[in-house]
Each structure stands twice: as C-alpha cells, then as structure tokens.
Amino acid sequence: MTPFSRITGTGSYLPPRRVTNDDLARELAERGVETSDQWIVERTGIRARHFAAPDVGSSDLALHACRHALEAAGRSVGDVDLIIVATSTPDMIFPSSAAILQNKLGIAGCPAFDVQAVCSGFIYALTVADAMIKTGSARCALVVGAEVFSRILDFNDRTTCVLFGDGAGAVVLEASETPGILASDLHADGKHVGILCVPGSVSGGQVLGTPLLHMDGQAVFKLAVRVLEEAANATLAKAGKTAADIDWLIPHQANLRIMQGTARKLKLPAEKLVVTVHDHGNTSAASIPLALDVAVRGGQVRKGDMVMLEGVGGGFTWGAVLLTL
Ligand code: UT7
C-alpha cells in the first residue's frame, strides 16, 4: 500500500466537428427554433461546442483521451490496472463503456466500470480511484470523463440544446509516495431529480418516457452556485488548507457566470479560474478533465500547483477534489 495517489498524466479529445453559436443558430432556425450568438455568449460564455459523428461513441472519444494521458504519464496500456469511466451517455445500456474502452485499449483482466453522477461524474470517479489506490487495490488507474451529450439533446428546446457538447478527458492516477490528491468531498440529494434529468428508460424493447435532456436552468443555477462554494470549503477544511493556497480553480464548465460566481465567493482572482466552456460548451462528466488537460498542455497549470476541481450536476450531485499536480 502507498499513502497517496497522484495524477501523472492528462489527456483529452474533442471530436473534429466544431459547431459555433452562429452555425447552431442557423441549423435551429431551419426547425423554427430561434436563438443567437449574442444570447448564448451573454448568458453562458459558450461560443462553440464539438459534436461527434453518429457512429462515434463515448468509448471512442475516451480511447483518444486515454492514449494522450498515458503518453503524458510515460506509461503504456500494460501498466493500467484499473479503468473508471464517468459518463451519462454510455455506448450501450450494458456492458459499461469502461469495459468497451478496455477492449479498445487492447488490454484485459483489470477491473473496469462506469460511474454515473452526471456532471459530477469525474469528481466521483477520481475519488473512487484515489480510495482504491490508497487501499492497495490498484497502482495505475485510468480515470476518464467521456460524453456524447449531443445524442440526448432536444434540438427543439432552445433552453438546453445550445448548452452542451461532446468530448473526453482522462488522467493517469498512480500510487505515489508524495501527496497528489489531498482531499475530496462528495454529495448527492435525489430530491432534485426533476430539475435536471433524462426521463426515459428501456423496457420490453421499447423506449419509455422521454430520452432527451430536461433542465430547469434557473433552479440548477441557484443550487450550483451554493453547493460549489460549500464543497470547495469542505474540501479545503479536510486538507487543512485555505482558498489562498489554491493556484487554480477548475470547476465543471457549464456556465461562465456560475464559474465566476464560485471564484468570487472563494475570493479567488479571475486569473486563477481555468475556463474552456467558451470552446467546449458543457461536456458534462468530460468537462473537468478536458479543462485540466487544456490548462496543463497550455502551460497554465504546472507540476506542483495546487488545483481545486469541482463538479455539480444531475441527481443532484456535487463534489470537489483538492490536489497537488
Ligand atoms: O451541467 C449541469 C449544470 N447545468 C447548469 O449549470 C445550467 C445552469 N443554468 C444556466 O446556465 C442558465 O439558467 C441558462 C443558461 C440555462 C439560462 O439562462 P437564464 O439567464 O437563467 O435565462 P432564462 O432561463 O431566465 O431565460 C431568459 C429568456 C427567456 O425569455 P423570456 O421568458 O424572458 O422572454 C427564454 O425564453 O431567454 C430565453 N431563452 C433564449 N433566448 C434565445 C432561453 N434560451 C434561449 C436561447 N436563445 N437559446
């Protein structure tokens, strides 16, 4: 057993089709749905998102992200002894996207499973992997967030379809003698299920209900700002740190106004906030590892920096992880 787990490599992948707000507005206009670049930018900060081709699944996006992360960590697929994929848009009902990904990576035998906590999924997955490494169940984990949210969008609902995109992010999390993950804090409150859900299921070979995303944006907004502040403070307290110790805040990338509000509540200057929502949209469980990888590869976040990751989403679920990179 080793006392700590640490991120040793990051990777990400966006499908090539980039759709700007103007592109989307044009496509929606053909359906009689009215929106504009101005509305989307003002309310969310989103300028573009990526959409996967119809034959591309979450595991395909995850595969690219994992290869980049393994390369960055200087590891090969043969070193991997745990795969956790956070997704709400799996390739199939079963088996898990993690099992499908394992096969695409060309390995077999190690545990592989999905975590379903919607936009908090990566925070949940990272916390689970950290615990498994600390208890000696694994030494080298691939922790992934991968989504094809475009599949569950209602393109007749302008209040939601302009917000989301597809993508994947991954980290290699390894057993370490020096601290990496310092503390985490996870929560769920199922009484809010109705404000953000895909209220469909499969039964007897039929889709029952509506297999498209439904969201009460304002209710989600209010809850998100409150719980993100609470989770950050709880995580800092567990680690014996204060907000002043944070070098980078990487929240779930859903809405620039929520992210800036969270930074303000923590009294963090805007320069410490990593923002990718303008170019990715909301990629749900993929958004945090995508933003982390962009910041690492862009030279913003460096080895030794203290990073606060924060997620919030359907369930309601929320949580945070404080780590030294
Ligand atoms: O990943 C999970 C976490 N999810 C989130 O964090 C999302 C949280 N919520 C939000 O980000 C915001 O609530 C939204 C971006 C979804 C909406 O922003 P808002 O400032 O709360 O706008 P609103 O819902 O109050 O709508 C304002 C107006 C409405 O028109 P009226 O009733 O004032 O005439 C909407 O019909 O904007 C209209 N509207 C639009 N107009 C143009 C809503 N969507 C659009 C649109 N284009 N796409």
Side-chain angles (χ1 to χ4, degrees), residues 101-122:
L101 170 67
Q102 185 199 50
N103 185 47
K104 287 180 177 169
L105 284 165
I107 53 176
C110 72
F113 58 92
D114 287 2
V115 162
Q116 221 289 34
V118 202
C119 303
S120 313
F122 184 76

Side-chain angles (χ1 to χ4, degrees), residues 35 39 43-44 119 158 217-218 220 252 254-255 257-258 282:
T35 189
W39 189 94
R43 302 288 174 135
T44 71
C119 303
R158 68 177 181 173
Q218 288 193 359
V220 171
H252 169 48
N255 185 317
R257 290 186 291 146
I258 296 177
N282 179 348

Side-chain angles (χ1 to χ4, degrees), residues 24 28 33-40 42-46 118-120 149 157-164 195-196 213 215-222 224-225 228 252-258 282-285 287 312-314 316:
L24 189 59
L28 294 178
V33 176
E34 196 189 321
T35 189
S36 67
D37 174 60
Q38 190 191 352
W39 189 94
I40 301 170
E42 276 177 15
R43 302 288 174 135
T44 71
I46 297 168
V118 202
C119 303
S120 313
F149 251 56
D157 176 7
R158 68 177 181 173
T159 68
T160 54
C161 73
V162 300
L163 305 175
F164 295 89
I195 63 171
L196 180 49
L213 186 143
M215 179 168 74
D216 176 344
Q218 288 193 359
V220 171
F221 195 109
K222 282 181 202 145
V225 174
L228 285 174
H252 169 48
Q253 309 279 315
N255 185 317
L256 188 58
R257 290 186 291 146
I258 296 177
N282 179 348
T283 57
S284 192
S287 92
V312 59
F316 225 60

Side-chain angles (χ1 to χ4, degrees), residues 120-291:
S120 313
F122 184 76
I123 298 295
Y124 269 64
L126 196 58
T127 303
V128 171
D130 172 54
M132 290 181 72
I133 287 174
K134 283 179 178 156
T135 54
S137 305
R139 290 195 60 83
C140 180
L142 273 172
V143 186
V144 192
E147 302 279 14
V148 283
F149 251 56
S150 58
R151 305 282 155 74
I152 52 168
L153 296 179
D154 178 354
F155 286 96
N156 292 311
D157 176 7
R158 68 177 181 173
T159 68
T160 54
C161 73
V162 300
L163 305 175
F164 295 89
D166 303 338
V171 301
V172 176
L173 189 74
E174 296 194 54
S176 167
E177 295 299 328
T178 53
I181 293 191
L182 303 174
S184 64
D185 186 57
L186 298 181
H187 298 276
D189 184 349
K191 76 168 169 288
H192 300 294
V193 66
I195 63 171
L196 180 49
C197 57
V198 176
S201 63
V202 172
S203 176
Q206 306 282 326
V207 175
L208 304 184
T210 309
L212 295 172
L213 186 143
H214 160 84
M215 179 168 74
D216 176 344
Q218 288 193 359
V220 171
F221 195 109
K222 282 181 202 145
L223 261 175
V225 174
R226 178 168 65 77
V227 299
L228 285 174
E229 184 193 11
E230 286 172 7
N233 284 326
T235 308
L236 286 168
K238 284 184 194 179
K241 303 286 181 190
T242 69
D245 295 315
I246 298 174
D247 293 309
W248 296 102
L249 176 66
I250 309 186
H252 169 48
Q253 309 279 315
N255 185 317
L256 188 58
R257 290 186 291 146
I258 296 177
M259 293 157 62
Q260 289 171 335
T262 308
R264 265 197 305 276
K265 286 192 167 195
L266 293 172
K267 299 193 171 49
L268 291 177
E271 305 82 66
K272 292 191 172 187
L273 183 64
V274 172
V275 177
T276 54
V277 70
H278 57 287
D279 202 34
H280 299 172
N282 179 348
T283 57
S284 192
S287 92
I288 296 168
L290 253 165

Side-chain angles (χ1 to χ4, degrees), residues 293-315:
D293 185 52
V294 168
V296 167
R297 283 171 197 265
Q300 271 181 294
V301 177
R302 293 167 193 215
K303 199 165 168 51
D305 284 354
M306 189 167 296
V307 182
M308 174 70 81
L309 308 178
E310 285 196 290
V312 59

